Amino acid sequence: MGRFVPGITTALLVLTSPAAFAATDDAADTASNTVDDVLVTAARRDLIGAAATSSQGVVVKEELELLPAYRVGQMLETVPGLVVTSHSGEGKANQYLLRGFNLDHGTDMATSVDGMPVNMRTHAHGQGYTDLNFVIPELARGIGYTKGPYFAAQGDFSAVGSIQMAYLDQLPAQVALTAGTLGYQRAFAAGATALGAGQLMAGGELVHYDGPWDHPDNLRKGNAVLRYSQGARADGFSVTAMYYRGLWNATTDQPERAIAQGLIGRYGTLDPTDGGQARRMSLSGTFAMPVDAGWLAGGEVTANAYVINNQLTLWNNFTHFLDNPVQGDQHAQDENRMVAGGAISYSRPLNLLGLDHEVVAGLDTRFDDVHVDLRATRARVAYAQLSNDNVQETGGGAYVQATSHWTPWLRTVVGMREDYLAATDHGSNAGVVAARLFQPKGSAIATLWQGTEVYLSAGRGFHSDDVRGASQGNAPLLAKADGEEVGIRSTILPNLTATLTAFQMDFVSELTYDADVGQTEAGRPSRRRGVELNTTYNPFSWLEFYGSVAFSHARYTDSDPAGSFIPDAPKLIGSLGIYLRDLGPWSGGVEYRYFGAHPLVEDNSVHSAGSQEWNLTANYTLQSGLRFGIGLYNVFDSKDDAADYYYTDRLKGEPAEGVGDLHAHPLEPRSVRFTVAQSF
């Protein structure tokens, strides 16, 4: 399945360095880049001797293609224990849940695409906002993932987890057309050609989607990618330009009493003018080369740089007539952002005192210049300015990590990282703030016997907080998180791999979603303890079963009389996948996803029952490259909710203080999509 290129110093560095993740290759690139000793492995399984923890790994392109993803963000559900859902319009960033964390739109899961960070600081809607609508699924090479603050190369937002997605350098010319129920249409085309000493690849998609909503989403989305690359991943470069534009309506979470009173139906909305628009443009580059001369000889340098422009407006009316009984409470969250940054790392194997070591050292930096404001609106027409901020954030991190092999059965991974962030707000929350954070990290790995390893890890990570809160003294600029875990990975049984991990995470300040204002804010200190089990079983070359389940106990750790339960933190998250590949012309996948009951308020007096759903895809490919595909989503037509919250709002005629109520966004009903594709 996955392909590891030996030009990267070690598989460990591949898994922990964002720039080095690109070593997971695929058949298209292997055909063009001469690699004599590519090792084909099942990426989730063959990490014995390479991984630093039991909960990191690689997802290769084939697994991304077989997963029945309803929306592009659900590609990430190939990461064990990660559930991706939505509580508003399709053009908005998804909701992410992992290890008992409701990560809202990406608060503590650092995500990057070809080295470009996706998480946005000091965002109009939510800190760490992670919108993957600009990703074209067919162009994704694969995913590298980590969990916990144990990896020196990972910085802001990575305390709970990190995801590094890489793009292909080339692929066969192809077109695909998809149409389905609920007003879904998609057209995709891509291809590559030789240009000079390299390859020029281009791809694009157009998407339309209405959904089941009484007021259709009418999502209109366009993506375009142009990429030029030369050389191999371990010795070459790429330059990529991306453009994304999206327009949509949104049905947000609605109060249950409005449905019970017959004011709206299950798929209705009290404010049909909610919605959004987004535009993203980026230019990025990656570079890698071995060093053959001087005192750095024997090592490898990788680097990347990027510049991104993001524009977004979200119109949301969560509380209806609570604050303004005449005009209503719809507001527009606007931002116009420029991001520039990059990273460089050097890795090298060493032999000191008769022991083998691998050392990696690196730097990364990022600058955000963002204008963010909040306006009171009615039917998307502004009538009052509520806040207006111009924020500049400059930050960077430096790290070093050493892997030492003490005996044939014992190795350690020890690292340290220092991050610095300074920010200035000119506007409604004017102020200057700065902070730095030292983060030690370490793991010890013992091979009990062939095919079985035990891991013991501890480390510190962080997320940055919204400058608008930090400048007013309401939040630490860098909120640290300390984690510990112990795990085991075993491939002792034929064709079966299992990992079992027990973890604990302590946050000095939990980022929580405040539905009243539609934003995340720095909250109380918290702790999570839990256990995660992942298994992969390949009884035949054409069949794979994959399962993941995580149990967690989440509580605030202060003595606030409001209660110690963390709202929206699920006790249980699980998934089951069945992949069918190369069974003659047939391929496909089945996925079951589940997140369990969880509290909606701190005293647990109101809670959600959770959600579950089955999805599947099936493909039939002719020798000519013509493929017919079908996707069936929410197979058993579950009536569960994709997301729910408890907060106070006010409908017309209700008391001025409003009514506390459960607000829900339902799962989409059963739907089907048909695809016809041709590769040339």
Side-chain angles (χ1 to χ4, degrees):
M1 290 169 56
R3 300 170 187 263
F4 289 17
V5 180
I8 302 294
T9 305
T10 66
L12 176 62
L13 300 184
V14 169
L15 292 172
T16 56
S17 169
F21 165 67
T24 55
D25 224 332
D26 61 79
D29 285 321
T30 302
S32 63
N33 300 326
T34 303
V35 180
D36 296 327
D37 52 348
V38 173
L39 176 64
V40 179
T41 68
R44 281 203 185 102
R45 296 169 53 196
D46 294 348
L47 298 179
I48 298 293
T53 74
S54 58
S55 53
Q56 68 178 121
V58 172
V59 179
V60 296
K61 181 174 178 59
E62 185 180 37
E63 293 165 325
L64 296 178
E65 292 174 336
L66 295 178
L67 181 81
Y70 186 80
R71 49 183 62 91
V72 62
Q74 287 179 325
M75 293 171 60
L76 302 190
E77 290 188 337
T78 51
V79 174
L82 178 61
V83 169
V84 181
T85 184
S86 173
H87 79 113
S88 191
E90 282 298 314
K92 191 176 177 181
N94 296 139
Q95 301 281 117
Y96 306 96
L97 300 102
L98 178 67
R99 280 191 169 182
F101 287 86
N102 185 333
L103 300 169
D104 191 51
H105 296 298
T107 52
D108 286 287
M109 185 180 71
T111 304
S112 64
V113 175
D114 258 8
M116 291 184 291
V118 184
N119 306 71
M120 293 294 115
R121 296 167 169 167
T122 308
H123 189 269
H125 184 69
Q127 183 72 353
Y129 191 82
T130 302
D131 184 1
L132 291 169
N133 277 293
F134 71 92
V135 171
I136 300 177
E138 290 87 348
L139 303 187
R141 169 188 298 269
I143 288 173
Y145 62 86
T146 67
K147 297 179 188 177
Y150 316 119
F151 306 90
Q154 304 302 325
D156 198 3
F157 301 114
S158 67
V160 176
S162 75
I163 292 174
Q164 305 90 46
M165 181 182 295
Y167 256 25
L168 294 167
D169 288 332
Q170 60 172 304
L171 77 171
Q174 56 191 275
V175 296
L177 296 175
T178 302
T181 58
L182 305 182
Y184 185 88
Q185 299 99 35
R186 179 177 185 257
F188 161 75
T193 185
L195 181 63
Q199 293 285 331
L200 181 66
M201 182 186 73
E205 69 170 354
L206 295 173
V207 178
H208 175 266
Y209 173 76
D210 286 329
W213 319 111
D214 293 348
H215 183 65
D217 268 11
N218 191 24
L219 170 71
R220 292 141 288 161
K221 182 174 80 168
N223 273 314
V225 173
L226 187 65
R227 181 180 180 94
Y228 181 74
S229 60
Q230 282 189 17
R233 286 276 164 161
D235 186 9
F237 72 89
S238 68
V239 178
T240 306
M242 300 184 184
Y243 178 82
Y244 157 67
R245 175 65 166 158
L247 302 164
W248 67 94
N249 302 318
T251 296
T252 62
D253 45 279
Q254 301 294 311
E256 283 200 337
R257 68 187 187 282
I259 299 174
Q261 295 170 15
L263 300 177
I264 57 175
R266 175 172 169 79
Y267 300 107
T269 176
L270 291 169
D271 193 337
T273 65
D274 285 354
Q277 60 181 12
R279 178 184 285 115
R280 182 189 184 277
M281 297 174 285
S282 67
L283 181 65
S284 63
T286 65
F287 172 80
M289 64 171 288
V291 182
D292 298 324
W295 64 278
L296 294 178
E300 181 179 279
V301 172
T302 61
N304 73 285
Y306 55 85
V307 59
I308 307 166
N309 175 246
N310 259 334
Q311 300 174 42
L312 176 72
T313 299
L314 295 175
W315 290 278
N316 291 311
N317 189 346
F318 293 108
T319 52
H320 307 297
F321 293 95
L322 181 64
D323 298 325
N324 190 325
V326 177
Q327 302 273 26
D329 294 353
Q330 188 186 74
H331 54 253
Q333 298 169 317
D334 298 292
E335 76 165 54
N336 190 343
R337 176 189 305 267
M338 185 67 70
V339 185
I344 186 169
S345 67
Y346 172 77
S347 58
R348 179 180 179 177
L350 295 172
N351 187 283
L352 296 175
L353 303 177
L355 299 176
D356 291 328
H357 309 267
E358 296 92 32
V359 177
V360 58
L363 300 167
D364 55 69
T365 186
R366 171 176 171 176
F367 172 71
D368 288 64
D369 186 356
V370 55
H371 172 226
V372 56
D373 66 43
L374 182 66
R375 295 173 294 142
T377 60
R378 182 176 184 180
R380 302 193 185 187
V381 178
Y383 62 85
Q385 184 83 50
L386 303 179
S387 65
N388 190 1
D389 295 89
N390 288 283
V391 176
Q392 291 81 42
E393 294 188 62
T394 303
Y399 64 89
V400 62
Q401 179 173 287
T403 302
S404 301
H405 301 266
W406 302 99
T407 71
W409 56 270
L410 177 65
R411 68 184 184 275
T412 58
V413 182
V414 177
M416 61 185 70
R417 181 183 177 96
E418 178 93 9
D419 277 88
Y420 176 78
L421 183 62
T424 302
D425 186 340
H426 305 280
S428 302
N429 299 278
V432 178
V433 289
R436 67 175 65 245
L437 183 66
F438 176 70
Q439 303 145 68
K441 305 165 186 285
S443 295
I445 305 98
T447 303
L448 300 184
W449 49 79
Q450 185 176 4
T452 300
E453 288 187 336
V454 172
Y455 308 82
L456 181 64
S457 303
R460 173 170 295 166
F462 73 98
H463 63 244
S464 60
D465 277 326
D466 193 309
V467 170
R468 292 170 293 177
S471 65
Q472 303 305 302
N474 299 323
L477 185 59
L478 302 181
K480 71 175 182 178
D482 293 317
E484 304 87 33
E485 70 176 48
V486 59
I488 185 170
R489 184 192 306 267
S490 181
T491 59
I492 188 171
L493 297 178
N495 303 318
L496 175 67
T497 296
T499 64
L500 179 65
T501 308
F503 60 88
Q504 177 174 294
M505 288 283 294
D506 291 274
F507 271 88
V508 71
S509 175
E510 172 115 356
L511 275 172
T512 57
Y513 176 64
D514 184 350
D516 290 343
V517 296
Q519 287 183 318
T520 52
E521 59 184 20
R524 299 159 56 187
S526 64
R527 167 174 288 179
R528 281 172 180 78
R529 291 173 173 162
V531 177
E532 182 178 68
L533 173 65
N534 303 303
T535 59
T536 301
Y537 179 50
N538 289 98
F540 308 102
S541 61
W542 50 269
L543 182 63
E544 175 184 329
F545 295 93
Y546 175 71
S548 176
V549 61
F551 302 89
S552 65
H553 180 270
R555 295 291 187 270
Y556 289 121
T557 54
D558 59 6
S559 55
D560 192 315
S564 62
F565 289 83
I566 301 176
D568 306 313
K571 301 175 183 178
L572 173 64
I573 295 176
S575 63
L576 170 68
I578 304 173
Y579 298 126
L580 179 74
R581 60 175 65 84
D582 299 328
L583 184 60
W586 291 99
S587 64
V590 177
E591 181 206 27
Y592 171 71
R593 50 201 293 271
Y594 173 85
F595 65 93
H598 50 276
L600 297 178
V601 294
E602 288 90 339
D603 63 3
N604 198 31
S605 58
V606 182
H607 58 273
S608 166
S611 174
Q612 57 183 320
E613 183 180 22
W614 287 86
N615 302 307
L616 67 85
T617 57
N619 300 289
Y620 187 89
T621 305
L622 302 176
Q623 290 185 349
S624 63
L626 182 64
R627 174 174 60 87
F628 299 93
I630 183 173
L632 187 59
Y633 305 94
N634 194 1
V635 175
F636 298 106
D637 204 23
S638 168
K639 304 300 183 185
D640 292 340
D641 294 325
D644 35 28
Y645 307 93
Y646 186 86
Y647 57 92
T648 298
D649 65 345
R650 181 174 184 249
L651 309 182
K652 286 185 176 180
E654 292 184 336
E657 65 273 17
V659 176
D661 197 4
L662 191 148
H663 295 67
H665 184 80
L667 284 171
E668 294 83 356
R670 183 190 298 116
S671 63
V672 63
R673 297 173 186 174
F674 300 94
T675 297
V676 178
Q678 176 69 60
S679 294
F680 301 96

